[in-house]
Amino acid sequence: MLSAPLPEAAQPRKVTVIGAGVIGLSTAHELAAAGHQVTAIADQQPQQTVSAVAAAIWFPYHSENSEAADLLLARSLARFEQLSGIAETGIDLRYGLNLEGSADEDRSWAKIVTNAAEAPAEAIPPIAAAGMHATVPVITMPTYLSWLQAQTAALGVQFIWRTVRSFDELKDDADTVVLAAGLRGGELTGDDQSVYPIRGQVIRLANTAGLSDWLCYDEHPQGVSYIIPRRDDIIVGGTDVDHDFNLEADPQTATEMLSRAIGLVPELEGCEILEHKVGLRPARETIRLERIEGHAVPVIAAYGHGGAGVTLSWGTAQRVVELLGS
Ligand SMILES: Cc1cc2nc3c(=O)[nH]c(=O)nc-3n(C[C@H](O)[C@H](O)[C@H](O)COP(=O)(O)OP(=O)(O)OC[C@H]3O[C@@H](n4cnc5c(N)ncnc54)[C@H](O)[C@@H]3O)c2cc1C
């Protein structure tokens, strides 16, 4: 049993979810598992979304620092840990090292990670100041999104592939609409200009080095750096450029990223480059996760997750179910 059924007092609703990235799919899953009748509408299939580009490690990168976000983090971690026991999900619990540029970085994320511990001095390269070892979920997104879509469909969610231009289009078929539209979250509400892209470029390498541990160093003096081994490949990143909509991979950026990564993990030298990828993180000062009134149909917003949408996905989905019931 993955989800709680409807409380006795709650009535099943007809809910339309806009979006089929990790937030839309997780939300549709939780709503359907709670007994609601769910339709998901999206104009990008899961594999075409930024969610498919994500590295993806459970980590609150570029994420809001608040009590509400902490709850989303903890709930998501618990679900990913539970799902890691199912091979087809593409989720593995992996050990790794989060490097820090100074001795006073925010380590609040580590409170809920069972084996998180200060890394010994000999594990810290001269370019960093400190670090934390931890075992966290690493999610091979193409595998995971396919699995999640299939699970969601098996719960009875209907998928429609088209663009929604106005909430008016949905009012006859839905009691409530969930807006999980990522970077385009503000377009339909008309009251939110604050969502912007943070461009991320990554390289996918063949894992001929047999690497198993991840390594992240956000504060690397030459630019954010991460090396995430997955089932059959390694994701090397990255970049984080605000307000940049360019979806083309830049060769010079790729060369620099790879050079930083090899500086941190010399075993990467010689691994074949399989692919270059770019995604636009849907950033906002705070995640928008609330009811919005004043539209043709009641709306619950669930967008603006920045660099941590996967990390916060199950918690977000569970919160939407609560908001629907409240
Ligand atoms: C390089 C990179 C690395 C990353 N690594 C990580 C990581 O390690 N861990 C992590 O947690 N996060 C990571 N992220 C961030 C993560 O990818 C995002 O936070 C997350 O994917 C956002 O998901 P979403 O469902 O909100 O949006 P999206 O995946 O963009 O999905 C939006 C959906 O809405 C639909 N849509 C929008 N508007 C409409 C409309 N009007 N009509 C119909 N459909 C519509 C689209 O078709 C799409 O299906 C990374 C991102 C990048 C770029």
Side-chain angles (χ1 to χ4, degrees):
M1 185 80 182
L2 289 178
S3 303
L6 277 180
E8 268 175 35
Q11 292 298 315
R13 316 269 177 85
K14 280 162 66 180
V15 185
T16 295
V17 176
I18 303 175
V22 72
I23 300 298
L25 287 181
S26 311
T27 302
H29 182 285
E30 292 303 84
L31 288 165
H36 300 294
Q37 188 185 324
V38 184
T39 303
I41 305 183
D43 54 10
Q44 289 177 310
Q45 300 261 344
Q47 304 293 346
Q48 300 169 318
T49 63
V50 69
S51 299
V53 179
I57 186 167
W58 177 95
F59 199 82
Y61 178 67
H62 278 236
S63 159
E64 161 184 336
N65 200 344
S66 68
E67 235 174 74
D70 284 352
L71 179 62
L72 306 185
L73 270 179
R75 285 175 158 187
S76 300
L77 178 62
R79 180 63 70 85
F80 281 125
E81 286 179 341
Q82 186 186 13
L83 291 174
S84 68
I86 306 170
E88 304 80 58
T89 57
I91 302 167
D92 299 301
L93 299 181
R94 286 186 185 269
Y95 186 69
L97 174 61
N98 185 57
L99 290 172
E100 299 163 335
S102 64
D104 58 355
E105 279 198 29
D106 178 13
R107 290 181 168 177
S108 52
W109 61 273
K111 282 185 302 208
I112 54 170
V113 177
T114 35
N115 76 341
E118 171 99 43
E122 60 270 24
I124 310 297
I127 201 166
M132 292 287 284
H133 277 303
T135 299
V136 296
V138 169
I139 303 116
T140 302
M141 289 307 287
T143 308
Y144 177 63
L145 289 171
S146 295
W147 176 84
L148 184 56
Q149 186 179 1
Q151 293 295 308
T152 304
L155 286 170
V157 174
Q158 301 292 315
F159 285 91
I160 298 172
W161 305 109
R162 71 171 178 88
T163 303
V164 176
R165 306 211 178 274
S166 146
F167 293 128
D168 284 352
E169 295 168 20
L170 309 176
K171 65 177 189 299
D172 296 337
D173 296 319
D175 304 329
T176 301
V177 169
V178 178
L179 183 58
L183 189 57
R184 288 147 68 203
E187 286 175 13
L188 287 168
T189 60
D191 67 348
D192 184 6
Q193 311 295 317
S194 66
V195 196
Y196 64 94
I198 302 178
R199 180 180 180 277
Q201 180 170 332
V202 294
I203 309 168
R204 201 163 69 82
L205 298 178
N207 192 358
T208 40
L211 217 65
S212 61
D213 295 358
W214 55 268
L215 187 142
C216 295
Y217 189 13
D218 286 1
E219 303 299 322
H220 190 299
Q222 272 93 53
V224 54
S225 298
Y226 48 88
I227 297 116
I228 316 286
R230 306 192 302 187
R231 292 269 168 98
D232 302 312
D233 54 19
I234 304 170
I235 299 295
V236 166
T239 64
D240 52 358
V241 187
D242 289 1
H243 303 283
D244 185 347
F245 282 90
N246 180 14
L247 280 168
E248 294 295 313
D250 175 56
Q252 179 64 27
T253 302
T255 305
E256 290 166 9
M257 276 183 340
L258 191 53
S259 156
R260 288 200 301 275
I262 291 170
L264 292 165
V265 181
E267 298 95 303
L268 293 174
E269 182 90 60
C271 287
E272 185 193 350
I273 294 178
L274 301 175
E275 199 178 3
H276 296 274
K277 297 188 105 178
V278 175
L280 306 180
R281 302 174 181 93
R284 197 173 181 275
E285 196 170 329
T286 58
I287 299 160
R288 192 169 198 191
L289 187 49
E290 61 183 2
R291 282 175 163 280
I292 317 176
E293 306 301 336
H295 293 285
V297 57
V299 174
I300 298 174
Y303 63 84
H305 292 75
V310 183
T311 303
L312 300 165
S313 56
W314 285 112
T316 297
Q318 290 167 22
R319 182 68 194 131
V320 169
V321 175
E322 290 167 0
L323 285 168
L324 184 69
S326 63

